[in-house]
Amino acid sequence: MAEAQNQNHSQEQDIHQLLKVRREKLAALQESGKDPFQIMKYDVTHHSMEIKDNFDKLEGQQASVAGRIMQKRVMGKASFCNVQDLQGNIQSYVARDSIGEESYADFKKYDVGDIVGIKGEVFKTKTGEISIHAAEVVLLSKSLQILPEKFHGLTNTDIRYRQRYVDLIMNQDVKETFVKRSKIISAIRRYLDDQGFMEVETPMLVSNAGGAAARPFETHYNALDEDVKLRISLELYLKRLIVGGMERVYEIGRVFRNEGLDTRHNPEFTLMELYQAYTDYYGMMDLTENMFRYLAQEIQGTTTIVYGEHELDLGRPFERLTMLDAVKKYAGVDFNEIHSDEEAKALADKHEVHYEARHKKGDILNLFFEEFVEDHLIQPTFIMDHPVEISPLTKKKPDNPDYVERFELFMNGWEMCNAYSELNDPIDQRARFKAQEEMLAQGDEEANTTDEDFLNALEIGMPPTGGIGYGIDRLVMILTNSPAIRDVLLFPTMKTLGGKDQ
């Protein structure tokens, strides 16, 4: 134990000395009038991969790149360094006779982690590596910290999430994940724009956080002396726009739910919701299936996606099952034979499914689904026709009003989206809100409250409408084979340390 403590203390002293040396180097540069932080710009003509992909055209041509020194080998009058930029990395050959004695003396003092600009001729070394023969090396920023050791990299997940900027430097696959995330969102926008949808923005601070079953974050608006909430959904404002005559709208934005953290949940996450007038939940199924297939082809170049140990086939028609049929198939229980809340609770007791006293038959059907079915839904599957008790904003099925026109898409055992034939009857909607208020009074902190302005909008008149919400982060996880939601959020929520980190 004592030996380990002494070793740690020695390492801390070594690191402190290295950091001290870096600051001394910066001070010397500043005293000599070479302060890198005074440089305002650098003209970059090419990136690393661009040079490698177009070597036949660029060989012998001048190119200037900029990036971070990741490796450096000083060998007397000539040296090599490896510079990392947005696209990857490229080697540079730096010789004293090419850049001048003073510049070469400065270069030898540069550290791994420093940001430089390099201009020179594109060539290939004797070993066949495409490189830049430097005619100019400019220090653009001095790194005062030490990057993780190259061969071991940055593997501590807590540090990776807290210091994403270091993670992006050290782990190229992480950067590629976030580049791909941007491409996914751009592809979604292209697809919806081509379908005639219009992107809109709605409020994040709201007096009534409705549209989903979740606890909101609450805050106080000083200027108005009012308590407000952060939105948990985009739904109710987007429906107001359908009332106003905007027939196809969507929004991609952050929502906030005061809940726990795990591999699939973060209290702030990216949600996309879209609403289309004059269609129903079948129209939303068709749109979803076509969009997911389009995204897979655009991002992966195939409709067969590998996620973990599973191969997901988005090319074939997605299976469609009612919740009743799914529970019957996987749990062996037919809720069509259950005719009362008491019978449902007795069945739950028999199968050791936990429920609360306030729960009704429809709630218990959903609990059976969560317990016995979800994990089996690996291939894309639409689960349809949910019980009315858990669907306060959805149209009832005309031939069976205990159930509603709603579906959820499941892949890899995860819920990927949630969609309805939207309830546009203001009288029915008021009754549903009242039922939610009663649930709230009974202790359900995720229940909705009555939104009078939304009811007023419905009384103005909303056409038959299909609507849907997608968890963008889970979609990115699937399309990038990422194991946890934190791996697709640049800055995931973290417990505060010393008042600095989130």
Side-chain angles (χ1 to χ4, degrees):
M1 176 73 77
E3 183 178 344
Q5 288 177 336
N6 290 335
Q7 186 176 4
N8 289 337
H9 180 68
S10 176
Q11 288 175 344
E12 289 175 5
Q13 285 184 318
D14 290 344
I15 291 172
H16 179 75
Q17 181 60 31
L18 290 171
L19 294 175
K20 181 172 179 287
V21 168
R22 290 198 176 207
R23 280 162 173 75
E24 289 172 351
K25 287 181 179 181
L26 174 62
L29 287 167
Q30 290 170 331
E31 287 173 10
S32 63
K34 299 176 182 178
D35 185 354
F37 300 124
Q38 295 297 315
I39 295 176
M40 301 303 178
K41 59 178 289 190
Y42 188 80
D43 290 328
V44 176
T45 63
H46 297 81
H47 283 86
S48 56
M49 193 57 63
E50 183 183 1
I51 292 173
K52 292 178 179 180
D53 288 345
N54 296 281
F55 176 73
D56 290 344
K57 293 181 180 178
L58 292 173
E59 184 178 13
Q61 303 296 312
Q62 292 288 306
S64 60
V65 299
R68 191 179 300 275
I69 296 175
M70 299 302 291
Q71 290 177 273
K72 184 163 168 273
R73 288 177 290 139
V74 176
M75 301 178 297
K77 297 179 182 179
S79 303
F80 287 92
C81 69
N82 188 286
V83 175
Q84 180 173 292
D85 62 13
L86 175 67
Q87 295 181 354
N89 60 75
I90 192 165
Q91 178 176 271
S92 179
Y93 172 69
V94 183
R96 185 188 66 181
D97 292 345
S98 298
I99 67 170
E101 192 167 337
E102 183 179 346
S103 292
Y104 189 68
D106 290 339
F107 170 79
K108 289 198 293 184
K109 296 176 183 176
Y110 296 166
D111 293 303
V112 169
D114 289 351
I115 297 174
V116 296
I118 295 178
K119 181 179 180 180
E121 184 179 303
V122 176
F123 79 111
K124 189 177 287 187
T125 65
K126 293 179 181 178
T127 60
E129 182 164 356
I130 295 170
S131 307
I132 296 176
H133 188 150
E136 169 189 271
V137 181
V138 180
L139 181 64
L140 303 175
S141 182
K142 182 68 186 169
S143 175
L144 301 179
Q145 283 286 356
I146 300 168
L147 293 176
E149 197 272 321
K150 178 183 182 295
F151 293 102
H152 294 94
L154 180 61
T155 57
N156 183 300
T157 54
D158 189 73
I159 295 176
R160 285 183 53 222
Y161 298 143
R162 291 184 189 279
Q163 298 182 18
R164 183 67 85 187
Y165 41 91
V166 180
D167 191 23
L168 291 167
I169 294 167
M170 300 306 300
N171 296 315
Q172 191 65 27
D173 58 332
V174 172
K175 184 185 290 184
E176 290 170 2
T177 293
F178 289 105
V179 170
K180 192 171 285 188
R181 179 189 174 106
S182 179
K183 290 179 179 178
I184 290 167
I185 293 174
S186 294
I188 290 171
R189 287 190 164 106
R190 281 197 308 274
Y191 182 83
L192 292 177
D193 292 347
D194 288 345
Q195 298 296 314
F197 283 84
M198 179 172 68
E199 186 173 10
V200 297
E201 295 174 307
T202 60
M204 290 189 183
L205 287 174
V206 295
S207 58
N208 188 326
R215 290 176 58 189
F217 288 93
E218 300 182 4
T219 187
H220 186 76
Y221 193 169
N222 291 335
L224 298 179
D225 192 24
E226 288 183 357
D227 291 331
V228 292
K229 301 175 178 68
L230 289 170
R231 67 185 181 186
I232 61 173
S233 166
L234 314 173
E235 180 166 347
L236 300 186
Y237 279 97
L238 291 176
K239 285 183 180 177
R240 286 169 168 90
L241 299 182
I242 295 292
V243 170
M246 294 183 174
E247 294 183 1
R248 299 189 183 201
V249 294
Y250 74 96
E251 180 174 8
I252 301 173
R254 288 289 214 196
V255 296
F256 310 86
R257 298 183 182 179
N258 201 345
E259 58 188 19
L261 296 89
D262 60 30
T263 57
R264 284 184 279 161
H265 294 87
N266 195 72
E268 60 170 312
F269 62 97
T270 302
L271 183 65
M272 181 179 79
E273 293 195 30
L274 64 85
Y275 293 85
Q276 179 180 340
Y278 311 113
T279 191
D280 61 3
Y281 74 147
Y282 288 108
M284 293 296 98
M285 281 188 225
D286 292 340
L287 183 148
T288 297
E289 186 168 339
N290 291 332
M291 185 175 77
F292 273 53
R293 197 166 290 137
Y294 169 83
L295 292 174
Q297 191 67 51
E298 285 286 297
I299 303 304
Q300 300 283 39
T302 175
T303 55
T304 301
I305 303 300
V306 175
Y307 185 83
E309 62 184 19
H310 299 299
E311 191 172 87
L312 309 176
D313 186 355
L314 278 65
R316 69 182 184 186
F318 294 6
E319 185 176 5
R320 300 186 180 192
L321 276 176
T322 67
M323 185 177 283
L324 283 168
D325 287 343
V327 170
K328 185 176 180 179
K329 178 178 180 179
Y330 291 106
V333 175
D334 188 355
F335 267 78
N336 280 317
E337 303 299 321
I338 305 300
H339 303 294
S340 68
D341 298 338
E342 290 70 27
E343 288 181 63
K345 289 178 179 178
L347 190 66
D349 291 336
K350 179 181 177 181
H351 289 267
E352 299 182 345
V353 174
H354 176 72
Y355 60 89
E356 298 179 24
R358 61 183 173 80
H359 281 153
K360 301 185 178 185
K361 172 187 168 183
D363 299 295
I364 293 172
L365 169 62
N366 187 56
L367 292 173
F368 267 77
F369 173 78
E370 292 174 349
E371 180 72 23
F372 296 110
V373 180
E374 285 189 6
D375 290 345
H376 294 281
L377 304 178
I378 304 302
Q379 296 303 321
T381 305
F382 290 119
I383 297 297
M384 307 161 53
D385 302 350
H386 294 49
V388 67
E389 290 90 343
I390 62 168
S391 311
L393 298 162
T394 313
K395 272 190 174 180
K396 295 175 183 176
K397 292 184 70 65
D399 58 344
N400 192 352
D402 288 341
Y403 297 90
V404 298
E405 292 196 345
R406 173 184 173 187
F407 74 81
E408 294 171 292
L409 172 65
F410 283 83
M411 291 171 57
N412 192 53
W414 304 350
E415 177 202 335
M416 300 299 295
C417 66
N418 185 22
Y420 317 146
S421 294
E422 302 296 337
L423 179 58
N424 62 342
D425 177 347
I427 297 171
D428 189 0
Q429 183 64 79
R430 183 174 290 279
R432 305 271 196 102
F433 275 144
K434 183 179 179 181
Q436 288 282 302
E437 297 272 11
E438 291 171 358
M439 291 169 60
L440 188 66
Q442 293 172 22
D444 185 353
E445 294 180 330
E446 296 184 346
N448 283 212
T449 56
T450 302
D451 188 326
E452 290 292 347
D453 182 71
F454 176 65
L455 288 171
N456 183 66
L458 290 187
E459 289 178 357
I460 295 292
M462 186 174 84
T465 297
I468 191 164
Y470 303 89
I472 296 297
D473 307 303
R474 287 187 190 176
L475 177 57
V476 174
M477 288 173 67
I478 290 283
L479 291 175
T480 59
N481 199 10
S482 298
I485 193 170
R486 289 181 174 186
D487 295 318
V488 299
L489 296 174
L490 279 167
F491 300 101
T493 301
M494 304 288 288
K495 186 175 176 61
T496 302
L497 293 178
K500 291 182 179 180
D501 302 309
Q502 291 189 10

